[in-house]
Amino acid sequence: MGTSPGKLGEKPASIATRLTLWYALLSIVLIAAAGSVMYWVLVDRLHQKDDQLLAGRIAELRAILQLHPPGSAFFSEEAKREATMLPGIQVRMQDSSGERIFETVGTQPALFDHFPPPSETEHSTDWRAPDGGFYRIMAARIAVGAGYTVQAAMNRSTEEALLAAYRRMLWLAISAALVVAIVAGYLIARREMRPVLRLAALVAELGATDLHRRIGDDDWPSELKPLATNFDQLLARLEDAFARMSQFSADIAHELRTPFHILQGEAELALTRAGSSEAYRACIESAAEEYQRLAAMVDALLFLARAEQPDAQLDWQPLQLDHEIATVCDFYQALADEQAVTLIAAGNGVVRADAALLRRALGNLVANALRHTPSGGRIIVAARQRPDQGAEISVSDTGDGIASDDLAHVFDRFYRADSARSRAKAGTGLGLAIVKFIMELHGGTASIQSELHQGTTVTLTFPA
Ligand SMILES: Nc1ncnc2c1ncn2[C@@H]1O[C@H](COP(=O)(O)OP(=O)(O)OP(=O)(O)O)[C@@H](O)[C@H]1O
Ligand SMILES: [Mg+2]
């Protein structure tokens, strides 16, 4: 059922646990490496010391051999005397035919049989006797007369016991380090992760009514500071969006109240007066006007709501602007003729845009211009390609114009500059808000210039 990326029931390990494991691993690797290096240095030193002793013994035998030929009484006497001086070292000497010339008493029977083959230089090896004793053996060739081989060996069981104790200590140290690293590491990591839990608790506390709160000022560790700051920015954006939404709902309610009051008042008046059919007719006509306005407002709100959906898809097409503005002007031509206003379409250009949305924006602008331009006036809808391959459409009129105080607000939802004018002439105040929104969807902008009693120009700019 579950399609989570991990395996079913597999929980992601906590940061504290992971940090602990990594540190524990690191510390035992370091201790093991340092311990092993010291161990190998110690082993090497002990071998060197043993080899020096054995080589010294062999050198003495060589010296005796050079002075006294083997077999002579002098030779065996000197050799025996040497042997008593260093009792731990056993020696065997053979001539070139393998005949044993001299051997210290009490030599391990198999000791010299495991002996490395003699060569020109001295060389040595370790050997473990069947009785458990450890030996170091060295062999050398002595080039006196027909040539002899000498083997010398020493018992190094005490050294081996020392090394074994060292190895045990090393294992103990590694195990102890592992336990300490895991326990202490986990406690430390847990302690240092406490701000994360505090942050989570703070965030969990926040509800829709706490959007004004900020958490970034607390003394967060530097790793958490950006998170807290970003979270504050998110809160600020949410607070802003939330405020705008509640403002928008309040505006809608406010806007709906007036037409409903008018409808209600007129209906009650018509009911209380035993009216003529003309009076009823006037009441119904007025109501129909209000209905139309309400329908237009709901239609505009619905459009804004749909276009604001994050998955709203634009139908991008390359559009010939002369064709688009001609279509819009044709639509309003009859109304312009009726008001004795000249409506002119001019210019050309190509733009990638959604045709329906572009026509809706242009339609709103031409409707505004027609509404505010007295007879004899002129409205020009002009398109041009910009040097940067973007495009521009402007709708200018020779009408009433807008006061500079109002100019900054005309793109706001429900804003009407002409509130003092007759209600029949007023729109919903959503037209320019829709125009601005359509331009934002296209990545473009809408701007307005106006001079009171001179005229107004609205410019739509499409990016390249
Ligand atoms: N060409 C214009 N000349 C003078 N005033 C204008 C012009 N265009 C817009 N305005 C002013 O800006 C206000 C806002 O315009 P907008 O199109 O948003 O709303 P509306 O025309 O009143 O309502 P709607 O377009 O929804 O019917 C208008 O009420 C009007 O006062
Ligand atoms: Mg309008």
Side-chain angles (χ1 to χ4, degrees):
M1 261 203 318
T3 50
S4 59
K7 274 186 227 139
L8 215 69
E10 191 181 276
K11 266 186 19 185
S14 86
I15 295 183
T17 313
R18 269 188 283 182
L19 277 181
T20 307
L21 290 182
W22 279 113
Y23 281 131
L25 191 69
L26 188 66
S27 39
I28 58 171
V29 165
L30 284 180
I31 291 178
S36 308
V37 167
M38 290 197 298
Y39 178 78
W40 288 118
V41 168
L42 183 62
V43 167
D44 193 53
R45 281 289 149 79
L46 290 174
H47 276 164
Q48 273 180 27
K49 190 202 75 179
D50 295 350
D51 289 351
Q52 262 171 19
L53 271 174
L54 295 174
R57 194 78 178 82
I58 289 171
E60 277 157 10
L61 281 174
R62 183 181 286 125
I64 296 171
L65 253 183
Q66 272 161 355
L67 290 176
H68 315 285
S72 70
F74 265 131
F75 173 79
S76 36
E77 202 150 303
E78 280 290 308
K80 268 180 204 143
R81 197 173 58 79
E82 275 297 325
T84 50
M85 302 240 308
L86 278 169
I89 296 183
Q90 291 148 33
V91 175
R92 174 191 285 177
M93 186 186 277
Q94 288 164 302
D95 66 13
S96 53
S97 63
E99 187 68 34
R100 209 170 290 174
I101 297 168
F102 170 76
E103 188 173 276
T104 41
V105 277
T107 300
Q108 273 266 341
L111 178 58
F112 291 119
D113 302 340
H114 294 272
F115 177 67
S119 69
E120 285 313 315
T121 51
E122 297 162 349
H123 64 286
S124 48
T125 190
D126 283 333
W127 181 65
R128 181 152 190 198
D131 66 359
F134 290 88
Y135 289 88
R136 182 85 180 158
I137 313 170
M138 182 176 275
R141 201 186 285 277
I142 298 177
V144 172
Y148 302 91
T149 53
V150 188
Q151 303 156 305
M154 64 177 286
N155 191 325
R156 43 177 294 277
S157 298
T158 26
E159 278 175 15
E160 196 51 46
L162 181 83
L163 289 176
Y166 185 100
R167 286 193 298 267
R168 271 198 306 279
M169 279 306 296
L170 190 60
W171 277 118
L172 211 70
I174 290 175
S175 321
L178 188 63
V179 172
V180 171
I182 285 179
V183 174
Y186 187 70
L187 290 180
I188 293 171
R190 267 274 299 266
R191 210 182 82 107
E192 293 307 309
M193 291 303 283
R194 269 202 312 231
V196 179
L197 300 181
R198 188 158 65 88
L199 185 62
L202 261 181
V203 170
E205 260 174 31
L206 297 178
T209 52
D210 300 313
L211 295 179
H212 61 280
R213 280 184 52 183
R214 296 292 178 267
I215 57 172
D217 291 338
D218 283 26
D219 53 342
W220 300 109
S222 59
E223 289 86 351
L224 290 185
K225 193 84 187 164
L227 186 61
T229 313
N230 289 348
F231 188 75
D232 276 355
Q233 284 166 2
L234 174 69
L235 276 182
R237 286 196 297 272
L238 282 179
E239 190 184 18
D240 187 51
F242 208 72
R244 268 190 293 134
M245 258 162 60
S246 358
Q247 182 59 43
F248 190 41
S249 317
D251 288 347
I252 293 175
H254 183 81
E255 290 296 325
L256 289 176
R257 206 172 53 173
T258 317
F260 279 124
H261 276 167
I262 292 172
L263 285 170
Q264 191 188 9
E266 282 176 349
E268 278 166 4
L269 203 69
L271 283 177
T272 47
R273 282 200 207 133
S276 58
S277 63
E278 282 90 68
Y280 285 134
R281 194 183 167 79
C283 174
I284 293 170
E285 269 173 5
S286 157
E289 225 169 73
E290 289 298 336
Y291 290 141
Q292 202 181 351
R293 205 196 316 278
L294 281 172
M297 188 197 292
V298 171
D299 179 55
L301 287 174
L302 207 60
F303 171 80
L304 280 173
R306 272 208 216 104
E308 263 182 2
Q309 296 285 317
D311 56 353
Q313 290 282 325
L314 262 64
D315 180 17
W316 295 96
Q317 283 169 18
L319 301 175
Q320 290 293 335
L321 289 179
D322 57 345
H323 176 68
E324 298 305 316
I325 55 182
T327 309
V328 174
C329 288
D330 282 352
F331 184 81
Y332 285 97
Q333 192 60 55
L335 191 59
D337 290 346
E338 201 178 289
Q339 291 180 213
V341 169
T342 320
L343 182 56
I344 303 168
N348 195 8
V350 184
V351 80
R352 270 187 73 80
D354 184 313
L357 292 183
L358 175 68
R359 282 180 202 173
R360 182 159 192 152
L362 280 179
N364 282 357
L365 296 181
V366 174
N368 277 356
L370 276 173
R371 191 183 284 161
H372 298 281
T373 305
S375 57
R378 195 182 59 218
I379 299 170
I380 303 176
V381 184
R384 75 180 182 96
Q385 199 85 47
R386 285 151 52 102
D388 66 354
Q389 292 309 303
E392 216 172 71
I393 310 173
S394 63
V395 179
S396 21
D397 61 57
T398 56
D400 309 334
I402 305 168
S404 54
D405 287 350
D406 294 320
L407 206 55
H409 303 288
V410 287
F411 285 110
D412 295 350
R413 288 170 180 187
F414 296 121
Y415 192 86
R416 277 161 298 213
D418 40 10
S419 48
R421 279 180 218 140
S422 80
R423 194 175 156 71
K425 217 185 164 191
T428 61
L430 288 169
L432 285 181
I434 288 178
V435 170
K436 183 178 156 211
F437 191 67
I438 288 175
M439 290 315 292
E440 279 170 4
L441 286 178
H442 285 88
T445 55
S447 61
I448 188 165
Q449 288 99 38
S450 186
E451 193 87 39
L452 211 54
H453 311 305
Q454 297 292 315
T456 305
T457 302
V458 180
T459 310
L460 309 181
T461 310
F462 291 85

